[in-house]
Amino acid sequence: QESSRIVTFYTERFGRFAGIVKGARRSPGRFGPSLQPMSQVSVVVYRKPGREVQTVSQCDLTVAYRRIPLDLGRMAVGLQMVELVTMVTHDEEENRDLYTLLSGSLSELDGETDPGWMLLYHFEIRLAAILGFRPDFVRCAGCRRPYGERVTDGWMVRLDIERGGPICRDCDTPGRRCILLTEEELHLLKELVTHSPASDPAPSRKTPERSERIEKFLFDYYSFHLPGFRRLR
């Protein structure tokens, strides 16, 4: 129907599903901002198992974000988190940990302190752990010894794409797929594993807003573990 909209929801109980919202185009004021991307809402659904598109009879906004809609940088980070969840989930597959991660990360993104792109990296690392391939930036990916001088080579570190961690000289064999990062970037990844950007908005070391090397590592790491994974828009 021309007056209806099909919207994708991600829920705590039923995972991801597509719902048709009748009259959403004809009477936009009825739903207001509740159908905007990243909105946290309460929905009433006439759910039929096996149906590709469920029927939504009511959708009410429960959390109103104030800062995300007004900042293109925050919107870019939030939309990429939503896109990533859409890519790695299946229809009606419950994952309460993932729901908590997404809703909590969006709340952090809307906080007083702008966590920037560090929040997206933090989200991707935690998501990898939920999906079963958590990276480890503390120990060598080969021998599992704590990283230190035996892992670093000058100011650059080699991160193993398959195992998701730094590789020491003794374990670094020809043909191993690795990404070069600076020690500063490796330290940042280690901090993101243990602290969220919101709880520690001022890292102990100065870090860039974005890091092409970290983004390449995360993309290659996801691509190795999730065949068909594509770059985020």
Side-chain angles (χ1 to χ4, degrees):
Q1 299 181 14
E2 293 184 0
S3 63
S4 301
R5 284 183 59 185
I6 295 179
V7 181
T8 299
F9 298 91
Y10 191 76
T11 67
E12 184 176 19
R13 183 177 177 185
F14 299 113
R16 188 191 72 189
F17 72 87
I20 184 169
V21 186
K22 296 182 179 180
R25 298 184 187 276
R26 183 178 61 248
S27 305
R30 175 185 171 189
F31 297 98
S34 65
L35 299 181
Q36 296 300 313
M38 297 178 285
S39 298
Q40 289 201 39
V41 298
S42 173
V43 295
V44 176
V45 183
Y46 292 98
R47 179 173 172 269
K48 184 177 181 179
R51 180 185 291 171
E52 291 186 2
V53 180
Q54 307 294 344
T55 300
V56 176
S57 64
Q58 187 173 338
C59 183
D60 299 312
L61 189 69
T62 58
V63 177
Y65 294 128
R66 295 182 299 164
R67 297 178 179 87
I68 294 178
L70 302 178
D71 186 288
L72 288 177
R74 296 189 197 224
M75 287 182 65
V77 171
L79 288 173
Q80 288 196 64
M81 290 191 294
V82 170
E83 182 184 3
L84 186 55
V85 170
T86 303
M87 289 172 57
V88 303
T89 56
H90 301 286
D91 288 344
E92 299 195 26
E93 183 179 71
E94 178 185 343
N95 192 324
R96 292 177 184 264
D97 290 337
L98 179 49
Y99 176 85
T100 299
L101 172 62
L102 179 59
S103 61
S105 296
L106 289 174
S107 294
E108 288 187 24
L109 185 61
D110 196 57
E112 292 185 9
T113 301
D114 183 2
W117 291 91
M118 299 305 107
L119 180 60
L120 179 60
Y121 305 156
H122 180 251
F123 179 86
E124 291 186 56
I125 291 170
R126 291 183 61 191
L127 176 58
I130 291 174
L131 297 177
F133 51 95
R134 177 181 180 178
D136 183 353
F137 305 114
V138 176
R139 289 175 289 273
C140 169
C143 62
R144 309 304 298 159
R145 289 177 295 188
Y147 80 86
E149 292 181 359
R150 298 183 64 84
V151 173
T152 59
D153 184 12
W155 68 288
M156 300 298 289
V157 181
R158 285 169 61 81
L159 255 65
D160 185 279
I161 294 299
E162 178 179 350
R163 302 187 181 183
I167 195 77
C168 72
R169 295 191 188 99
D170 293 342
C171 299
D172 196 357
T173 56
R176 185 184 290 271
R177 289 186 58 194
C178 293
I179 294 289
L180 280 175
L181 265 66
T182 66
E183 291 183 343
E184 191 79 11
E185 289 167 328
L186 181 61
H187 178 79
L188 172 61
L189 289 174
K190 180 183 176 183
E191 285 190 338
L192 290 178
V193 169
T194 55
H195 304 286
S196 73
S199 64
D200 186 16
S204 56
R205 304 185 186 186
K206 185 178 179 180
T207 56
E209 267 299 297
R210 296 187 67 176
S211 168
E212 292 184 2
R213 284 185 289 262
I214 289 179
E215 291 179 11
K216 178 171 176 52
F217 164 73
L218 290 170
F219 172 74
D220 288 352
Y221 185 59
Y222 266 82
S223 297
F224 178 84
H225 290 278
L226 300 174
F229 184 78
R230 59 172 175 76
R231 293 193 179 278
L232 301 176
R233 290 176 293 178

